[in-house]
Structures are given as C-alpha cells and as structure tokens.
Amino acid sequence: MFAITVRDDGEIVLSGRFDASQIETADAIFERVSDTTRVNFQDLDYISSAGLGILLKTQKRLSASGHFLILMNMKKMVRDVFRIARFDMVFRIEEDQ
Amino acid sequence: MSKRTLNIESRTERLIAVREFISVAAREFGFTDEEVSKIALAVDEACTNIIKHAYKYDPNYSISVTISTHNGAFEIAIRDTGRDFRPEAIPTPDMKEYLEHYRHGGLGVYLMRSLMDKVEYNIRPGKMNEVRLTKFLPR
C-alpha cells in the first residue's frame, strides 16, 4: 500500500511502500511541484530506486529556478537507502520535525 | 542445502509478493531485520530491471525467483527470458558525478551491488538471463 497526499500548506506526505508500481501515482503529484516543498516521510516504510528517481527528477527541475525539496522524518531503513545511494549529498534531509 | 521458488508475472504490482517471499526466507535463515530489508530491496531492484528492460513492461511474461541456502550463504537466482542483457553494458555509476549532474538510470544496479556481497550474471543469449545475488550471514 502506498499513499501520497498534499496538505493545505503544500507539504507532501508519503506513506506505505514506494516501489516501481507507484511511479505514475507519485509522478502525478511531484510534477506539479514548482516551489521549495517539504516532503514528509514519517509513514513511509520502504523506498526503491524508482522512488529515488522521482525525487531526483523533481529536485533537478526545481534547482533550475533555485528551489528544492526538503525531506523530513525518514525511518531508519529509508534513511539508510538514501545514505547508501549517497542521495544525502543532494537533498536537504531534516530529522524529527 | 534448501531451495524454494516463486514465479511471478512481469508486473510491478507483483514486487511486493517478491519482497515478502524473500523477507520470510531471509529472516528464517537468521538475518537481522535491517539485513532482511536490504536483501529484499536488492531483489526488488533486480526484478524491476527485468520488468522494465528485459520485458519492456509486457505483463505476459514471467520471472522466476529461486532462493538457495547453504553454509551461511543466502543466494537468490532471478531468471527471465526477455531481451538479451549485457551486464558489462551497465557500469556502476560514480554516484558523486551521477548526483551532481542529476543523471538517471543505473541506480538499481548500483544499489544491488552495494547491498549484496556478490552479484553475478549468467546470460544464455536467446534462452535465459539469470542474475544471482548472494549475501553471507555475518560470522
């Protein structure tokens, strides 16, 4: 099960498991992002390279206009995947917000 | 030595069943929850690559996932009959360069190689492609 919602303040909330079966669902939300945006990972249990790819693609597009994603509240497993893929080099990751 | 196999259709919706199959066996074999998650992710990446590149998202094919365990080794053989695959054509990306230039593609292979102790390929052109992932129990 995967869910992606956008709060009134623009924060994107991810939950469940973000694998290759969820690319279209997630892309439909992320492609509408045009400003610096917070992404809350609090309830996300799993992410594969498919999910990482969407985040990287969004970050690339935003960076052209000086904006970026702020990734928050990752569980350890998800944080480990970011570290192993070295994605923590290009994303601002905040803990326990 | 013990063996068990799961066959799935070539659909990304089936990745969750693969991860569950791997997780149950890896936990039984003695890996920690953290190691179990990493092995399941590596196998997810291998299957995703097959669905995407070997079968081009055609769901009318199947993928076979076989787990063999022996002497502290947990080995997963993932087989398909899709397009010929040349592993040497997929270099391990330099992640610093990859991220600085926001590249795409090759990330799944990078994760597989980072998460597992061994990644081997057995390619029989026109017949079968096999990727074998191995993780050893810590001594």
Side-chain angles (χ1 to χ4, degrees):
Chain A
M1 183 66 187
F2 172 74
I4 178 167
T5 54
V6 184
R7 290 184 178 161
D8 291 345
D9 63 1
E11 181 177 304
I12 295 174
V13 182
L14 305 176
S15 65
R17 303 180 188 96
F18 193 175
D19 66 14
S21 67
Q22 305 301 328
I23 290 177
E24 286 181 16
T25 306
D27 217 14
I29 299 287
F30 278 103
E31 69 183 9
R32 295 208 299 264
V33 172
S34 59
D35 213 340
T36 293
T37 299
R38 298 161 83 85
V39 185
N40 196 331
F41 282 66
Q42 189 176 333
D43 295 317
L44 193 77
D45 298 315
Y46 178 85
I47 192 165
S48 71
S49 67
L52 295 178
I54 288 188
L55 294 168
L56 191 62
K57 185 175 81 169
T58 307
Q59 182 85 337
K60 178 182 182 179
R61 183 170 53 74
L62 291 179
S63 69
S65 54
H67 296 291
F68 52 93
L69 296 176
I70 302 169
L71 314 183
M72 304 153 39
N73 304 331
M74 289 181 190
K75 292 184 180 178
K76 185 175 182 306
M77 168 58 190
V78 173
R79 186 77 177 82
D80 282 350
V81 176
F82 272 77
R83 184 180 47 76
I84 292 165
R86 304 186 68 185
F87 270 45
D88 44 4
M89 284 175 24
V90 290
F91 286 101
R92 181 165 146 192
I93 300 176
E94 297 182 352
E95 312 287 343
D96 299 324
Q97 295 295 306
Chain B
M1 178 165 170
S2 77
K3 260 191 184 187
R4 61 181 98 172
T5 296
L6 173 73
N7 292 302
I8 60 157
E9 316 89 79
S10 173
R11 294 193 294 121
T12 54
E13 291 79 6
R14 298 291 285 145
L15 290 170
I16 189 167
V18 174
R19 293 197 301 268
E20 187 60 24
F21 174 66
I22 296 296
S23 297
V24 168
R27 201 167 287 122
E28 278 176 18
F29 192 59
F31 287 110
T32 64
D33 286 348
E34 190 174 328
E35 290 161 340
V36 167
S37 298
K38 289 178 178 171
I39 296 167
L41 174 56
V43 177
D44 174 322
E45 298 295 350
C47 292
T48 298
N49 273 344
I50 291 168
I51 294 167
K52 192 172 168 184
H53 300 296
Y55 291 143
K56 302 281 181 194
Y57 294 104
D58 184 337
N60 298 309
Y61 289 94
S62 68
I63 300 170
S64 120
V65 181
T66 299
I67 300 169
S68 311
T69 56
H70 49 93
N71 299 332
F74 187 84
E75 183 182 287
I76 309 111
I78 304 143
R79 299 186 184 96
D80 70 81
T81 55
R83 291 159 57 100
D84 290 354
F85 172 67
R86 292 190 207 91
E88 69 277 9
I90 302 184
T92 303
D94 171 345
M95 289 310 292
K96 190 167 185 295
E97 192 269 348
Y98 185 98
L99 291 164
E100 276 172 359
H101 296 93
Y102 294 108
R103 306 268 190 233
H104 61 92
L107 184 56
V109 169
Y110 175 83
L111 284 176
M112 277 162 48
R113 289 173 179 159
S114 301
L115 295 165
M116 301 301 285
D117 294 323
K118 270 203 297 190
V119 178
E120 301 163 300
Y121 297 93
N122 176 19
I123 310 300
R124 294 190 219 152
K127 293 182 179 168
M128 180 211 70
N129 306 311
E130 177 187 77
V131 54
R132 268 199 313 278
L133 309 176
T134 307
K135 188 86 172 172
F136 298 102
L137 269 181
R139 290 180 185 275

